[in-house]
Amino acid sequence: MRYIIIGAGAVGGAVGGRLAEAGHEVVLVARGTQYAALRDGGLRLRVPEGEFTYRLPVVEGPAGLGVLRADDVLVLAVKTQDTEGALDAWGPAPVEGGGTAGERLPLLCAQNGVEGQRMALRRFRRVYGVCVCVWLPAAFVEPGLVSAAGSPLTGILHLGVYPHGTDETARRIAADLEKSRFEAPVVPDLARWQYAKLLANLANAVEAVAGPVEDGKAVALVERVQAEGVAVLEAAGIAYTSPEEQREVRGDKITLLPLDDAPRGGGSSWQSLTRGTGTIEADYLNGEIALLGRLHGVPTPLNDLLQRLANSYARERREAGSMPVGELVRLADEAVAAVENQRSENQRSGKQRSGKQRSGK
């Protein structure tokens, strides 16, 4: 199979580089400065064993490949906010022997959140989920250079058919990944792993807005944000893997090792702000909890706040981590207090209406 990595950033670059190292055929898809760097200098992958350069075909879109092959596997590794554009481009792409990519080719969604697969299923018949829940520690360092600090495994990637199940294609892809320094369990209940990853990713906006989650105030805030997420998932009846189950799967298979000259960075949302892309994934992380909360009657003031702040930082191209964590905690407390005050007011109003009805007024 040939792997077409749509979005050769941190996750896409790490997966593509490791697949290429193991001898698999890989095509990278990128835009702008990343496309130019990959075209001119190759993909540079910095890992614990050293830094390696892979001279791989790189294109900006399906037109660069002409007709796709019947054995192509599309790996969608763009941020969720960029999913629609990628699907618009690749879904109608022609495939040798007739038909389109949307009709014939498998599409793997290697993304944070749970919405990308739903978007994909509108255009692709064969959609698979890839959950980097336990884990794929990778970072976009600069155009053309990706770091992946995990050892001895680069990452653990759970795979499954979306919305549920397994099949032979998933098992073949998993076998290729397991020859490429990944562990790749194929599971019928991938959503449980993805919702657990969603809970972990609720911290992304805290890091993006207020910097690394290290001191007590930041850690406590993240715990409150994630507790709000847990309450929402439980109200919605959505299952998710426990931290204990994740730790058991991870074991000592992945250790983060220091990489030479690797700058200190943050997660995917932090990287979006640092690169000044103008967009961020908060609508599909904290915003997913906000959506489920509204559907199931659970207030989500903390995730509402983080979604709003992260989007504002991205839109205004503000510096990542520039809000003091104390200020963020103050805003969080105010948001929670406002919801509690509104709830108390609603209860008082309800009692007054009930009293008037009993008195016949």
Side-chain angles (χ1 to χ4, degrees):
M1 295 183 289
R2 179 175 68 170
Y3 291 90
I4 300 175
I5 311 294
I6 305 170
V11 170
V15 171
R18 286 305 202 187
L19 284 169
E21 177 188 17
H24 301 291
E25 194 173 357
V26 175
V27 175
L28 304 176
V29 182
R31 299 176 300 178
T33 56
Q34 178 71 341
Y35 167 78
L38 294 172
R39 177 197 62 200
D40 297 340
L43 171 65
R44 296 157 55 207
L45 181 62
R46 185 176 293 166
V47 290
E49 311 92 76
E51 184 174 309
F52 303 91
T53 299
Y54 302 99
R55 297 282 182 172
L56 303 172
V58 56
V59 298
E60 294 181 288
L65 293 173
V67 177
L68 301 180
R69 290 173 10 189
D71 64 348
D72 281 338
V73 175
L74 306 182
V75 181
L76 187 63
V78 300
K79 300 284 176 57
T80 306
Q81 65 267 27
D82 297 321
T83 296
E84 290 285 357
L87 295 173
D88 286 344
W90 288 90
V95 179
E96 62 183 6
T100 65
E103 294 168 331
R104 295 185 55 195
L105 298 184
L107 176 75
L108 277 68
C109 295
Q111 301 170 292
N112 286 335
V114 296
E115 184 63 20
Q117 298 158 133
R118 292 188 71 252
M119 296 181 192
L121 204 59
R122 297 178 187 275
R123 295 175 174 84
F124 281 77
R125 294 178 182 173
R126 303 172 62 195
V127 175
Y128 298 78
V130 181
C131 183
V132 293
C133 189
V134 242
W135 279 273
L136 199 176
F140 179 97
V141 179
E142 64 186 36
L145 176 59
V146 170
S147 69
S151 179
L153 291 177
T154 298
I156 300 177
L157 307 175
H158 285 70
L159 276 72
V161 176
Y162 182 78
H164 49 75
T166 64
D167 66 9
E168 183 58 28
T169 297
R171 287 186 284 272
R172 289 179 61 200
I173 294 168
D176 284 352
L177 288 169
E178 293 195 337
K179 296 173 184 174
S180 309
R181 297 180 183 261
F182 294 97
E183 185 172 293
V186 178
V187 296
D189 56 347
L190 184 67
R192 286 198 319 123
W193 295 92
Q194 292 178 315
Y195 277 103
K197 183 62 160 40
L198 174 64
L199 290 175
N201 285 146
L202 298 180
N204 287 20
V206 175
E207 179 187 59
V209 170
V213 180
E214 295 176 341
D215 70 20
K217 289 182 180 179
V219 171
L221 177 59
V222 167
E223 289 174 349
R224 294 167 63 193
V225 172
Q226 291 174 336
E228 195 176 85
V230 167
V232 166
L233 294 187
E234 292 181 349
I238 295 174
Y240 55 93
T241 56
S242 67
E244 294 74 22
E245 185 174 358
Q246 295 172 52
R247 283 195 293 269
E248 183 178 352
V249 170
R250 180 183 181 184
D252 58 358
K253 300 170 186 175
I254 303 177
T255 300
L256 298 185
L257 299 181
L259 300 179
D260 293 340
D261 301 322
R264 178 175 179 174
S268 53
S269 297
W270 184 93
Q271 292 177 45
S272 291
L273 292 186
T274 300
R275 294 168 62 190
T277 63
T279 66
I280 201 166
E281 61 195 338
D283 284 347
Y284 303 101
L285 301 177
N286 307 93
E288 180 70 23
I289 295 301
L291 169 62
L292 289 171
R294 291 162 193 158
L295 289 173
H296 297 279
V298 180
T300 58
L302 297 176
N303 282 280
D304 292 351
L305 171 68
L306 289 172
Q307 179 186 7
R308 183 170 65 254
L309 285 175
N311 280 324
S312 174
Y313 266 56
R315 185 172 54 252
E316 298 169 10
R317 289 176 167 78
R318 297 174 65 179
E319 181 183 354
S322 58
M323 178 179 287
V325 68
E327 174 66 8
L328 181 57
V329 171
R330 183 188 68 79
L331 293 174
D333 290 341
E334 289 181 354
V336 171
V339 169
E340 292 175 348
N341 290 338
Q342 184 61 55
R343 180 184 297 164
S344 298
E345 180 62 31
N346 291 343
Q347 290 175 343
R348 286 194 295 271
S349 298
K351 289 179 181 179
Q352 291 173 353
R353 288 194 297 271
S354 178
K356 290 180 180 180
Q357 290 171 353
R358 286 196 299 270
S359 66
K361 297 182 180 179

